[in-house]
Amino acid sequence: MPTDVENWKSEVYGSEIRDRLFEFAEQGFDSIPDDERDAWFERFKWWGLYHQRNGQEGYFMMRIGTPNGVLEPGQLRVVGEIADEYARGPGTNPIFGDAYADFTTRQSIQLHWIELSDVPAIFEKLEENGLSTQQACGDSWRNIVGNPVAGKDGQEVIDAWPVISDLNERFKGNDDHSNLPRKWKVSVTGSADGSGQGDINDLAFEPAYREVDGEDVVGFNVRVGGGLSRNEPRLARDIDVWVSPERVPDVAGGLSALFRDYGDREDRYNARIKFLVDEWGPEKVRETLQEEYVDFELESAGRDVREEYTYNTGAGERNDLVGVHDQKDGANFVGLNVLVGRMGAADVLDLADLAAEYGSGEVRISQRQNVIVTDVPDDALDEFLAEPLLEHYSPEPSPFMRGSVACTGTEFCSLSIVETKNRQVRFARWLKANVDLPEGVDEFHIHLSGCTASCAQPQIADVSLRGMKTRKDGDPVEALDVGLGGGLGDEPQFARWVTQRVPVDEVPGAIANLVESFAAERDEGESFRAFVARHDDDELDAFVEPEETDYEDPMMHNTKRTWYPYAEEDAMEDAPGVPGSPAGD
Amino acid sequence: MTTRLRVLDDGAWISVNDARKVRVSELWRLDAPDLCECELTDLVVENFQSVGVDGSTVEVRVYGQCIACGAAGTTGWIPVGRVRGGEFAELDRSAVRRVRR
């Protein structure tokens, strides 16, 4: 039997949601019929609007999909202005203030505390400036990811940006692909560093060479069915297909249609294509694609460049895109660390100005929640690097700042079990002040995800932290499971969960002890990931020695029972109510 | 009177008549010998799997983990509240819940 969500989608979905959304915005939140709220909130996701968790009724998270993380000149300023004007709610974040933007692990931007009545004005401003929230959430083509410096990267094998732009044009607002069984995440990468993280996407195009008519041609190998969510992480499976850049839309559209037609619409937990690939195997995926969805002969996989991958591998060069790097046109791109991906609105505006002053005005977002200012000429580099804003958003951060990734957490998210972003900031600051990595170790990735949805991609970090609960002195407290040794590269590996339910105030001590053991026991020049690989789970569990330190955690309690974890009066009964409604304000 | 019961947002909460009523991340005390060997399971609720009704009692199946012993899995049907006169009343969070079927 189809689920309620499928029934709602079959009634109204896709582009047609917009008219009703605008009617509700004009007439007020209370105009949404009481018995249709679940349905409309589900549909609004297709337009990038996600109702915030309970206690925050009437406020929305708005996600702006920026394909490949590319913000063209002027667009970051628009985002900053919208954040400053509209992303202000009744709660103040003690670290980030009243208005901020979040850069996400899928190269998008999230704003919070958006009121429904403001949506038409925000959409108008976004669209006037070439930005959109369309399909940023919901069951369809999501924001396409890749190497954010596509087209500029000195390490590029093929420029993937025209391919990504084309896919975005074809599959955003495309009625044939607007209602899929579940989300559809696509990665297209043209560089040899693996920075598109294709392995953890539903569909991945990775650079590969193939001989065509006696000549080596650069195109893409295709992998299908990766993803991290729900305790069921999968690496995308090789379906033995190479495709030329011109035919990427045919193969991508064919696979999207295959998912549309064969994906499970009766059980949302089983709906992602990774489960269909489990069931069918990659050979049947290929056969079905060939027989039913493309009208040309598929080529077998070409020679890939996975051996050269460095991104998120835990060793070697360029594990991220932070720092100063060469562009192929002789200019530079400068990756700036944005701790946990969150930047105050005033800083967003300052950064937009700096990008225009020193570069082309373009800014790009990486999958490690950082920003990249492109097109900085050599003669402007020193002056740019000396800008005060870069003291906070550094191109040369501490490894603990640089390696931190965190999801939204209980501040706004319904699914999360623990508070995340502010906690990860506090962890990073404490580790920077108290822990030294062994000589030669410059990268140490710690990802904190509030639940098994894995939005912070915890399974591909050196240290993976995942929201849990435990009891401490009999009282329930927020806790984290600890996983170790995850990373991507030629041979990707998910973290092994070695220690469970560490009270959050003992996590920094646990990481300090782990690093101390690593320093004492590592072989010469050994990476952390290699160190983890040669120990069994019990040995690793012993290295993770939870310990109270002078780190203090102000959010040990059940933050989900608050209307806002950092409010002075934080109880649910103190929630502000729906904005603009007689019961709210 | 019909009561609309749904699991929404990837199992994050139970909707009763289009209002969010029961959420993940709570700790429930369970009498659930099938899930773990603890005298009472100290279950952190991670995901709602399904929701149903038996008479006036609203029941759910949840994925979670016992924080005392670490056993994880999906429970049988557990009561979470009652519907009376169209209004939902959640069970006291400290109540010991018994798997009903």
Side-chain angles (χ1 to χ4, degrees):
Chain A
M1 198 171 74
T3 61
D4 282 341
V5 173
E6 281 301 326
N7 288 331
W8 298 331
K9 285 160 59 185
S10 67
E11 289 165 11
V12 181
Y13 208 56
S15 304
E16 59 187 336
I17 297 164
R18 184 182 170 114
D19 289 345
R20 294 300 304 276
L21 172 62
F22 276 34
E23 282 172 28
F24 293 135
E26 193 177 320
Q27 292 163 17
F29 183 89
D30 290 341
S31 68
I32 306 171
D34 286 345
D35 59 354
E36 296 179 16
R37 294 198 168 186
D38 287 351
W40 284 110
F41 294 153
E42 189 64 39
R43 292 175 180 133
F44 289 170
K45 293 174 189 172
W46 201 90
W47 279 101
L49 291 164
Y50 217 107
H51 199 201
Q52 289 180 189
R53 72 170 174 86
N54 65 334
Q56 301 168 4
E57 267 70 18
Y59 292 99
F60 291 82
M61 179 275 281
M62 174 181 281
R63 187 179 294 155
I64 303 164
T66 41
N68 205 40
V70 175
L71 285 150
E72 290 166 0
Q75 289 184 333
L76 186 66
R77 166 154 282 281
V78 170
V79 169
E81 287 172 359
I82 290 172
D84 194 38
E85 184 172 356
Y86 298 107
R88 291 177 182 274
T92 296
N93 185 298
I95 292 176
F96 297 99
D98 286 324
Y100 37 82
D102 288 351
F103 303 116
T104 79
T105 52
R106 296 202 77 256
Q107 297 172 276
S108 296
I109 298 163
Q110 293 183 175
L111 307 177
H112 292 94
W113 297 122
I114 300 297
E115 297 182 24
L116 196 57
S117 57
D118 290 329
V119 168
I122 297 172
F123 278 16
E124 187 181 349
K125 182 161 181 162
L126 287 171
E127 289 161 9
E128 276 172 0
N129 291 280
L131 291 162
S132 173
T133 64
Q134 189 183 46
Q135 291 169 246
C137 313
D139 294 346
S140 63
W141 276 70
R142 297 294 191 86
N143 193 46
I144 301 167
V145 300
N147 171 7
V149 281
K152 314 216 168 197
D153 188 2
Q155 294 189 16
E156 197 159 75
V157 177
I158 180 172
D159 180 2
W161 177 234
V163 179
I164 292 169
S165 299
D166 188 17
L167 291 177
N168 189 62
E169 285 292 313
R170 286 178 193 239
F171 294 106
K172 285 288 165 82
N174 182 328
D175 288 344
D176 289 339
H177 300 266
S178 65
N179 178 359
L180 302 177
R182 202 68 177 77
K183 61 181 84 168
W184 180 247
K185 294 178 173 179
V186 178
S187 167
V188 185
T189 316
S191 68
D193 66 349
S195 57
Q197 302 199 132
D199 279 326
I200 57 169
N201 281 264
D202 294 304
L203 171 59
F205 292 94
E206 300 186 301
Y209 297 90
R210 201 169 202 299
E211 199 177 292
V212 178
D213 298 331
E215 280 189 33
D216 240 8
V217 177
V218 190
F220 301 92
N221 281 350
V222 182
R223 289 178 183 240
V224 182
L228 301 176
S229 63
R230 301 195 63 80
N231 277 330
E232 299 272 6
R234 299 283 187 284
L235 296 165
R237 269 63 57 94
D238 180 358
I239 62 163
D240 189 26
V241 169
W242 177 90
V243 62
S244 66
E246 297 74 30
R247 281 187 157 162
V248 166
D250 298 318
V251 170
L255 285 163
S256 165
L258 180 154
F259 175 51
R260 176 194 64 208
D261 299 341
Y262 289 101
D264 188 346
R265 290 184 188 262
E266 298 193 353
D267 179 359
R268 290 182 67 75
Y269 293 148
N270 194 47
R272 294 289 292 276
I273 198 167
K274 64 184 177 184
F275 298 116
L276 188 65
V277 180
D278 286 357
E279 189 186 326
W280 281 12
E283 297 80 12
K284 185 173 173 183
V285 174
R286 189 188 200 283
E287 280 167 24
T288 309
L289 173 67
Q290 177 71 79
E291 287 167 15
E292 299 178 30
Y293 294 100
V294 293
D295 57 8
F296 56 89
E297 193 69 25
L298 293 168
E299 307 261 11
S300 58
R303 176 170 52 85
D304 65 38
V305 293
R306 289 175 65 92
E307 278 184 9
E308 296 176 44
Y309 284 9
T310 55
Y311 197 83
N312 246 347
T313 58
E317 299 295 309
R318 224 168 86 162
N319 269 256
D320 56 32
L321 297 167
V322 172
V324 179
H325 302 270
D326 293 336
Q327 290 184 191
K328 56 186 174 188
D329 64 0
N332 305 277
F333 69 84
V334 182
L336 305 177
N337 179 231
V338 183
L339 186 54
V340 302
R342 181 167 288 179
M343 186 180 277
D347 289 349
V348 172
L349 293 168
D350 284 351
L351 180 67
D353 290 344
L354 293 181
E357 186 180 344
Y358 293 99
S360 60
E362 185 187 77
V363 172
R364 300 189 175 195
I365 304 164
S366 82
Q367 292 185 52
R368 296 197 54 77
Q369 301 181 322
N370 295 317
V371 294
I372 298 161
V373 175
T374 61
D375 307 318
V376 181
D378 286 344
D379 59 8
L381 200 52
D382 288 344
E383 214 175 321
F384 175 53
L385 296 175
E387 283 287 345
L389 191 72
L390 272 61
E391 287 171 21
H392 189 65
Y393 304 101
S394 173
E396 291 182 316
S398 146
F400 294 113
M401 300 288 185
R402 179 176 196 149
S404 290
V405 170
C407 70
T408 299
T410 54
E411 184 178 9
F412 300 114
C413 176
S414 292
L415 198 51
S416 184
I417 295 173
V418 299
E419 199 278 340
T420 53
K421 279 206 192 284
N422 286 24
R423 177 167 286 140
Q424 181 79 331
V425 169
R426 297 170 68 88
F427 282 178
R429 288 176 179 168
W430 189 90
L431 291 166
K432 180 184 173 185
N434 292 282
V435 177
D436 291 319
L437 288 167
E439 183 87 17
V441 177
D442 303 321
E443 302 270 352
F444 198 76
H445 294 178
I446 303 175
H447 295 194
L448 170 54
S449 225
C451 71
T452 58
S454 302
C455 299
Q457 304 172 345
Q459 297 95 331
I460 56 167
D462 294 305
V463 175
S464 318
L465 303 174
R466 188 172 63 194
M468 244 303 134
K469 287 282 170 64
T470 193
R471 287 186 192 272
K472 183 160 180 164
D473 305 323
D475 294 324
V477 295
E478 296 198 349
L480 296 169
D481 286 344
V482 180
L484 301 178
L488 295 177
D490 187 22
E491 293 182 15
Q493 171 75 44
F494 294 134
R496 289 144 61 193
W497 297 101
V498 299
T499 306
Q500 272 75 39
R501 302 182 299 284
V502 179
V504 286
D505 62 334
E506 299 177 29
V507 169
I511 296 172
N513 291 332
L514 171 68
V515 171
E516 196 177 303
S517 294
F518 170 49
E521 310 258 343
R522 75 192 280 241
D523 293 338
E524 197 180 334
E526 189 177 39
S527 72
F528 182 75
R529 189 170 161 192
F531 172 79
V532 171
R534 71 176 169 86
H535 288 90
D536 66 31
D537 288 4
D538 289 340
E539 291 169 324
L540 293 170
D541 182 30
F543 294 146
V544 181
E545 206 179 321
E547 184 183 355
E548 285 183 4
T549 59
D550 61 355
Y551 170 84
E552 289 180 5
D553 198 305
M555 295 157 296
M556 294 279 284
H557 59 312
N558 187 342
T559 52
K560 208 60 173 291
R561 281 197 190 167
T562 67
W563 72 269
Y564 189 64
Y566 327 113
E568 209 159 297
E569 305 289 332
D570 67 358
M572 277 292 177
E573 50 267 31
D574 296 315
V578 174
S581 152
D585 280 357
Chain B
M1 185 181 289
T2 310
T3 303
R4 299 182 302 281
L5 299 169
R6 299 182 183 112
V7 175
L8 287 173
D9 288 351
D10 289 343
W13 44 280
I14 299 296
S15 165
V16 182
N17 292 334
D18 285 73
R20 297 185 277 200
K21 291 297 184 187
V22 190
R23 58 184 174 272
V24 295
S25 89
E26 295 293 344
L27 284 173
W28 291 353
R29 291 281 192 185
L30 290 189
D31 181 0
D34 289 349
L35 194 74
C36 74
E37 293 177 358
C38 296
E39 193 170 331
L40 283 179
T41 305
D42 203 357
L43 187 87
V44 58
V45 179
E46 293 186 71
N47 276 113
F48 293 103
Q49 303 288 307
S50 41
V51 60
V53 65
D54 182 9
S56 62
T57 303
V58 176
E59 302 174 322
V60 293
R61 292 176 67 241
V62 305
Y63 177 85
Q65 187 178 129
C66 175
I67 61 170
C69 71
T74 300
T75 67
W77 291 95
I78 300 169
V80 287
R82 286 179 185 277
V83 176
R84 287 215 176 95
E87 293 293 315
F88 175 79
E90 191 176 356
L91 276 187
D92 189 300
R93 292 202 187 100
S94 62
V96 174
R97 296 152 200 252
R98 187 161 289 115
V99 174
R100 289 162 64 99
R101 55 191 164 101

